[in-house]
Short mmCIF file of all heavy atoms in Angstrom, two decimals:
data_model
loop_
_atom_site.label_atom_id
_atom_site.label_comp_id
_atom_site.label_asym_id
_atom_site.label_seq_id
_atom_site.Cartn_x
_atom_site.Cartn_y
_atom_site.Cartn_z
N ASP A 30 0.85 -1.19 0.00
CA ASP A 30 0.00 0.00 0.00
C ASP A 30 0.89 1.24 0.00
O ASP A 30 2.07 1.17 0.36
CB ASP A 30 -0.93 0.01 1.22
CG ASP A 30 -2.14 0.93 1.02
OD1 ASP A 30 -2.25 1.53 -0.07
OD2 ASP A 30 -2.95 1.03 1.94
N LYS A 31 0.31 2.36 -0.39
CA LYS A 31 1.05 3.61 -0.33
C LYS A 31 1.56 3.84 1.08
O LYS A 31 0.91 3.41 2.05
CB LYS A 31 0.16 4.78 -0.74
CG LYS A 31 -0.34 4.76 -2.16
CD LYS A 31 -1.27 5.94 -2.41
CE LYS A 31 -1.85 5.91 -3.80
NZ LYS A 31 -2.81 7.03 -4.03
N LYS A 32 2.68 4.51 1.22
CA LYS A 32 3.22 4.82 2.54
C LYS A 32 2.16 5.52 3.37
O LYS A 32 1.58 6.53 2.97
CB LYS A 32 4.45 5.73 2.38
CG LYS A 32 5.08 6.17 3.68
CD LYS A 32 5.75 5.02 4.39
CE LYS A 32 6.47 5.48 5.64
NZ LYS A 32 7.03 4.33 6.39
N GLY A 33 1.85 4.95 4.55
CA GLY A 33 0.85 5.53 5.43
C GLY A 33 -0.58 5.21 5.04
O GLY A 33 -1.53 5.71 5.67
N GLY A 34 -0.79 4.35 4.04
CA GLY A 34 -2.14 4.02 3.59
C GLY A 34 -2.88 3.06 4.49
O GLY A 34 -4.08 2.81 4.32
N ASN A 35 -2.17 2.46 5.45
CA ASN A 35 -2.77 1.56 6.44
C ASN A 35 -3.43 0.35 5.80
O ASN A 35 -4.33 -0.25 6.38
CB ASN A 35 -3.78 2.31 7.31
CG ASN A 35 -4.03 1.61 8.64
OD1 ASN A 35 -3.14 0.94 9.16
ND2 ASN A 35 -5.23 1.72 9.15
N PHE A 36 -3.00 0.00 4.58
CA PHE A 36 -3.49 -1.18 3.88
C PHE A 36 -5.02 -1.18 3.72
O PHE A 36 -5.67 -2.21 3.76
CB PHE A 36 -3.02 -2.46 4.58
CG PHE A 36 -1.52 -2.57 4.63
CD1 PHE A 36 -0.82 -2.14 5.75
CD2 PHE A 36 -0.81 -3.05 3.54
CE1 PHE A 36 0.57 -2.20 5.79
CE2 PHE A 36 0.58 -3.12 3.58
CZ PHE A 36 1.28 -2.69 4.69
N SER A 37 -5.56 0.02 3.53
CA SER A 37 -7.00 0.14 3.32
C SER A 37 -7.40 -0.30 1.92
O SER A 37 -8.50 -0.82 1.71
CB SER A 37 -7.45 1.58 3.56
OG SER A 37 -6.74 2.48 2.71
N LYS A 38 -6.50 -0.09 0.94
CA LYS A 38 -6.74 -0.54 -0.44
C LYS A 38 -5.45 -1.17 -0.97
O LYS A 38 -4.81 -0.65 -1.88
CB LYS A 38 -7.18 0.63 -1.33
CG LYS A 38 -8.52 1.23 -0.94
CD LYS A 38 -8.88 2.38 -1.88
CE LYS A 38 -10.23 2.99 -1.51
NZ LYS A 38 -10.58 4.13 -2.41
N PRO A 39 -5.08 -2.32 -0.42
CA PRO A 39 -3.78 -2.89 -0.77
C PRO A 39 -3.79 -3.66 -2.09
O PRO A 39 -4.84 -4.06 -2.59
CB PRO A 39 -3.51 -3.84 0.40
CG PRO A 39 -4.88 -4.32 0.76
CD PRO A 39 -5.78 -3.12 0.58
N ILE A 40 -2.61 -3.85 -2.63
CA ILE A 40 -2.40 -4.82 -3.71
C ILE A 40 -1.82 -6.06 -3.05
O ILE A 40 -0.87 -5.97 -2.27
CB ILE A 40 -1.44 -4.26 -4.77
CG1 ILE A 40 -2.13 -3.14 -5.55
CG2 ILE A 40 -0.97 -5.36 -5.71
CD1 ILE A 40 -1.23 -2.46 -6.55
N SER A 41 -2.43 -7.22 -3.33
CA SER A 41 -2.04 -8.45 -2.65
C SER A 41 -1.45 -9.46 -3.62
O SER A 41 -1.90 -9.58 -4.77
CB SER A 41 -3.26 -9.08 -1.95
OG SER A 41 -3.79 -8.20 -0.98
N ILE A 42 -0.43 -10.18 -3.15
CA ILE A 42 0.18 -11.26 -3.92
C ILE A 42 0.13 -12.52 -3.06
O ILE A 42 0.70 -12.56 -1.97
CB ILE A 42 1.65 -10.94 -4.28
CG1 ILE A 42 1.71 -9.74 -5.22
CG2 ILE A 42 2.31 -12.15 -4.95
CD1 ILE A 42 3.12 -9.33 -5.59
N ASN A 43 -0.57 -13.53 -3.54
CA ASN A 43 -0.70 -14.78 -2.81
C ASN A 43 0.59 -15.58 -2.96
O ASN A 43 1.00 -15.93 -4.06
CB ASN A 43 -1.90 -15.57 -3.35
CG ASN A 43 -2.17 -16.84 -2.54
OD1 ASN A 43 -1.40 -17.19 -1.65
ND2 ASN A 43 -3.26 -17.50 -2.84
N ALA A 44 1.23 -15.89 -1.84
CA ALA A 44 2.48 -16.65 -1.85
C ALA A 44 2.27 -18.11 -1.51
O ALA A 44 3.23 -18.89 -1.46
CB ALA A 44 3.48 -16.03 -0.88
N GLY A 45 1.03 -18.52 -1.24
CA GLY A 45 0.74 -19.90 -0.88
C GLY A 45 1.41 -20.27 0.44
O GLY A 45 1.40 -19.49 1.40
N SER A 46 2.06 -21.43 0.47
CA SER A 46 2.72 -21.88 1.70
C SER A 46 4.20 -21.47 1.73
O SER A 46 4.89 -21.76 2.70
CB SER A 46 2.61 -23.40 1.82
OG SER A 46 3.22 -24.02 0.71
N ALA A 47 4.66 -20.80 0.68
CA ALA A 47 6.07 -20.41 0.60
C ALA A 47 6.39 -19.36 1.66
O ALA A 47 5.51 -18.64 2.14
CB ALA A 47 6.39 -19.87 -0.79
N THR A 48 7.66 -19.26 2.01
CA THR A 48 8.10 -18.25 2.98
C THR A 48 9.11 -17.29 2.35
O THR A 48 9.91 -16.68 3.04
CB THR A 48 8.71 -18.91 4.23
OG1 THR A 48 9.77 -19.78 3.82
CG2 THR A 48 7.66 -19.70 4.99
N THR A 49 9.05 -17.17 1.02
CA THR A 49 9.89 -16.22 0.31
C THR A 49 9.23 -15.85 -1.01
O THR A 49 8.50 -16.66 -1.59
CB THR A 49 11.31 -16.79 0.06
OG1 THR A 49 12.11 -15.80 -0.58
CG2 THR A 49 11.24 -18.02 -0.82
N ARG A 50 9.47 -14.63 -1.47
CA ARG A 50 8.94 -14.18 -2.77
C ARG A 50 9.86 -13.10 -3.32
O ARG A 50 10.12 -12.10 -2.65
CB ARG A 50 7.53 -13.62 -2.62
CG ARG A 50 6.89 -13.12 -3.92
CD ARG A 50 6.60 -14.27 -4.89
NE ARG A 50 5.58 -13.93 -5.85
CZ ARG A 50 5.78 -13.23 -6.97
NH1 ARG A 50 7.00 -12.78 -7.24
NH2 ARG A 50 4.78 -13.00 -7.79
N THR A 51 10.39 -13.33 -4.53
CA THR A 51 11.24 -12.35 -5.19
C THR A 51 10.44 -11.61 -6.25
O THR A 51 9.75 -12.24 -7.06
CB THR A 51 12.46 -13.03 -5.85
OG1 THR A 51 13.23 -13.68 -4.84
CG2 THR A 51 13.32 -12.01 -6.57
N LEU A 52 10.50 -10.29 -6.23
CA LEU A 52 9.80 -9.46 -7.20
C LEU A 52 10.77 -8.97 -8.26
O LEU A 52 11.84 -8.44 -7.92
CB LEU A 52 9.13 -8.26 -6.53
CG LEU A 52 8.03 -8.56 -5.52
CD1 LEU A 52 7.51 -7.25 -4.96
CD2 LEU A 52 6.90 -9.35 -6.15
N ARG A 53 10.42 -9.13 -9.53
CA ARG A 53 11.21 -8.57 -10.60
C ARG A 53 10.92 -7.07 -10.72
O ARG A 53 9.93 -6.57 -10.17
CB ARG A 53 10.90 -9.27 -11.92
CG ARG A 53 11.37 -10.72 -11.96
CD ARG A 53 10.97 -11.41 -13.26
NE ARG A 53 9.54 -11.51 -13.39
CZ ARG A 53 8.85 -11.11 -14.47
NH1 ARG A 53 9.49 -10.57 -15.50
NH2 ARG A 53 7.55 -11.24 -14.52
N VAL A 54 11.77 -6.36 -11.42
CA VAL A 54 11.61 -4.91 -11.59
C VAL A 54 10.24 -4.59 -12.16
O VAL A 54 9.54 -3.69 -11.68
CB VAL A 54 12.73 -4.35 -12.49
CG1 VAL A 54 12.40 -2.93 -12.95
CG2 VAL A 54 14.06 -4.38 -11.76
N THR A 55 9.82 -5.33 -13.19
CA THR A 55 8.53 -5.04 -13.81
C THR A 55 7.37 -5.26 -12.84
O THR A 55 6.38 -4.52 -12.87
CB THR A 55 8.33 -5.89 -15.09
OG1 THR A 55 7.12 -5.50 -15.72
CG2 THR A 55 8.30 -7.38 -14.78
N GLU A 56 7.47 -6.26 -11.95
CA GLU A 56 6.40 -6.52 -10.99
C GLU A 56 6.31 -5.40 -9.95
O GLU A 56 5.21 -4.93 -9.63
CB GLU A 56 6.64 -7.85 -10.28
CG GLU A 56 6.51 -9.07 -11.18
CD GLU A 56 6.85 -10.36 -10.46
OE1 GLU A 56 8.00 -10.50 -9.98
OE2 GLU A 56 5.97 -11.23 -10.35
N LEU A 57 7.48 -4.99 -9.43
CA LEU A 57 7.47 -3.93 -8.43
C LEU A 57 7.01 -2.62 -9.05
O LEU A 57 6.26 -1.85 -8.44
CB LEU A 57 8.86 -3.77 -7.81
CG LEU A 57 8.97 -2.79 -6.65
CD1 LEU A 57 8.05 -3.19 -5.50
CD2 LEU A 57 10.40 -2.70 -6.15
N ASN A 58 7.43 -2.36 -10.28
CA ASN A 58 7.01 -1.14 -10.96
C ASN A 58 5.49 -1.12 -11.14
O ASN A 58 4.84 -0.09 -10.92
CB ASN A 58 7.69 -1.03 -12.33
CG ASN A 58 7.44 0.30 -13.00
OD1 ASN A 58 7.98 1.32 -12.61
ND2 ASN A 58 6.60 0.30 -14.02
N ASP A 59 4.92 -2.27 -11.53
CA ASP A 59 3.46 -2.36 -11.68
C ASP A 59 2.74 -2.07 -10.37
O ASP A 59 1.68 -1.44 -10.35
CB ASP A 59 3.06 -3.74 -12.19
CG ASP A 59 3.38 -3.94 -13.66
OD1 ASP A 59 3.68 -2.94 -14.35
OD2 ASP A 59 3.34 -5.11 -14.12
N ILE A 60 3.32 -2.52 -9.26
CA ILE A 60 2.70 -2.27 -7.95
C ILE A 60 2.65 -0.77 -7.67
O ILE A 60 1.62 -0.22 -7.27
CB ILE A 60 3.47 -3.02 -6.84
CG1 ILE A 60 3.20 -4.53 -6.95
CG2 ILE A 60 3.07 -2.51 -5.45
CD1 ILE A 60 4.09 -5.38 -6.07
N PHE A 61 3.77 -0.08 -7.89
CA PHE A 61 3.81 1.37 -7.67
C PHE A 61 2.79 2.08 -8.55
O PHE A 61 2.02 2.93 -8.08
CB PHE A 61 5.21 1.91 -7.95
CG PHE A 61 6.15 1.86 -6.79
CD1 PHE A 61 6.65 0.64 -6.33
CD2 PHE A 61 6.55 3.01 -6.13
CE1 PHE A 61 7.52 0.58 -5.24
CE2 PHE A 61 7.43 2.97 -5.05
CZ PHE A 61 7.92 1.75 -4.61
N ILE A 62 2.76 1.74 -9.85
CA ILE A 62 1.86 2.40 -10.79
C ILE A 62 0.40 2.09 -10.45
O ILE A 62 -0.47 2.98 -10.45
CB ILE A 62 2.17 1.98 -12.24
CG1 ILE A 62 3.57 2.46 -12.65
CG2 ILE A 62 1.11 2.51 -13.20
CD1 ILE A 62 3.75 3.96 -12.66
N ASN A 63 0.09 0.82 -10.13
CA ASN A 63 -1.29 0.43 -9.83
C ASN A 63 -1.79 0.98 -8.51
O ASN A 63 -3.01 1.02 -8.26
CB ASN A 63 -1.44 -1.09 -9.86
CG ASN A 63 -1.31 -1.65 -11.26
OD1 ASN A 63 -1.65 -0.98 -12.24
ND2 ASN A 63 -0.83 -2.88 -11.37
N LEU A 64 -0.88 1.41 -7.65
CA LEU A 64 -1.28 2.09 -6.42
C LEU A 64 -1.57 3.58 -6.68
O LEU A 64 -1.90 4.32 -5.76
CB LEU A 64 -0.20 1.95 -5.34
CG LEU A 64 -0.11 0.57 -4.66
CD1 LEU A 64 1.11 0.50 -3.76
CD2 LEU A 64 -1.38 0.29 -3.86
N GLY A 65 -1.41 4.00 -7.93
CA GLY A 65 -1.69 5.39 -8.29
C GLY A 65 -0.53 6.33 -8.10
O GLY A 65 -0.70 7.55 -8.14
N LEU A 66 0.68 5.78 -7.91
CA LEU A 66 1.86 6.61 -7.74
C LEU A 66 2.38 7.03 -9.12
O LEU A 66 2.52 6.19 -10.01
CB LEU A 66 2.93 5.86 -6.96
CG LEU A 66 2.50 5.46 -5.54
CD1 LEU A 66 3.49 4.48 -4.93
CD2 LEU A 66 2.37 6.70 -4.67
N PRO A 67 2.68 8.30 -9.32
CA PRO A 67 3.06 8.79 -10.66
C PRO A 67 4.43 8.32 -11.10
O PRO A 67 5.34 8.15 -10.27
CB PRO A 67 3.01 10.31 -10.51
CG PRO A 67 3.26 10.55 -9.05
CD PRO A 67 2.61 9.40 -8.33
N ALA A 68 4.58 8.11 -12.41
CA ALA A 68 5.88 7.74 -12.97
C ALA A 68 6.86 8.89 -12.83
O ALA A 68 6.46 10.06 -12.78
CB ALA A 68 5.71 7.37 -14.44
N ASP A 69 8.13 8.55 -12.71
CA ASP A 69 9.23 9.51 -12.65
C ASP A 69 9.22 10.38 -11.39
O ASP A 69 9.84 11.43 -11.35
CB ASP A 69 9.24 10.41 -13.89
CG ASP A 69 9.35 9.61 -15.18
OD1 ASP A 69 10.11 8.62 -15.18
OD2 ASP A 69 8.68 9.96 -16.16
N ALA A 70 8.51 9.92 -10.35
CA ALA A 70 8.50 10.64 -9.07
C ALA A 70 8.83 9.65 -7.96
O ALA A 70 8.23 8.57 -7.87
CB ALA A 70 7.13 11.27 -8.83
N ALA A 71 9.79 10.00 -7.12
CA ALA A 71 10.19 9.13 -6.01
C ALA A 71 9.01 8.90 -5.07
O ALA A 71 8.24 9.83 -4.79
CB ALA A 71 11.36 9.74 -5.26
N ALA A 72 8.85 7.67 -4.62
CA ALA A 72 7.72 7.33 -3.75
C ALA A 72 8.11 6.18 -2.83
O ALA A 72 9.15 5.52 -3.03
CB ALA A 72 6.50 6.95 -4.58
N GLN A 73 7.28 5.94 -1.81
CA GLN A 73 7.51 4.85 -0.88
C GLN A 73 6.25 4.00 -0.78
O GLN A 73 5.12 4.51 -0.86
CB GLN A 73 7.87 5.38 0.51
CG GLN A 73 9.24 6.05 0.58
CD GLN A 73 9.56 6.50 2.00
OE1 GLN A 73 8.78 7.20 2.63
NE2 GLN A 73 10.72 6.10 2.50
N VAL A 74 6.46 2.70 -0.59
CA VAL A 74 5.36 1.75 -0.47
C VAL A 74 5.57 0.90 0.78
O VAL A 74 6.68 0.45 1.06
CB VAL A 74 5.27 0.84 -1.72
CG1 VAL A 74 4.38 -0.36 -1.47
CG2 VAL A 74 4.75 1.64 -2.91
N ASP A 75 4.51 0.74 1.57
CA ASP A 75 4.55 -0.12 2.75
C ASP A 75 4.26 -1.57 2.35
O ASP A 75 3.44 -1.82 1.45
CB ASP A 75 3.51 0.33 3.78
CG ASP A 75 3.92 1.61 4.50
OD1 ASP A 75 5.13 1.92 4.53
OD2 ASP A 75 3.03 2.31 5.02
N VAL A 76 4.93 -2.50 3.03
CA VAL A 76 4.79 -3.92 2.71
C VAL A 76 4.61 -4.70 4.01
O VAL A 76 5.27 -4.40 5.02
CB VAL A 76 6.04 -4.47 1.98
CG1 VAL A 76 5.79 -5.87 1.46
CG2 VAL A 76 6.46 -3.54 0.85
#
């Protein structure tokens, strides 16, 4: 969720029973964009 968003409208990734998940650049970028964060502007995301 956006920094300080309190996970009110989160993006979720189901990891199943695994205890690790690696995100590629394209996946993390999609998360930032889909949270409504503008391109080319520094931002923070809570996890």
Side-chain angles (χ1 to χ4, degrees):
D30 200 1
K31 296 177 183 178
K32 178 69 176 175
N35 202 30
F36 300 95
S37 57
K38 295 180 180 179
I40 290 176
S41 299
I42 295 178
N43 185 353
S46 60
T48 55
T49 183
R50 180 67 158 82
T51 299
L52 296 180
R53 292 177 296 128
V54 166
T55 185
E56 292 176 299
L57 186 59
N58 188 73
D59 286 347
I60 288 170
F61 273 71
I62 296 297
N63 290 331
L64 285 172
L66 298 168
D69 303 320
Q73 291 183 307
V74 165
D75 286 338
V76 189

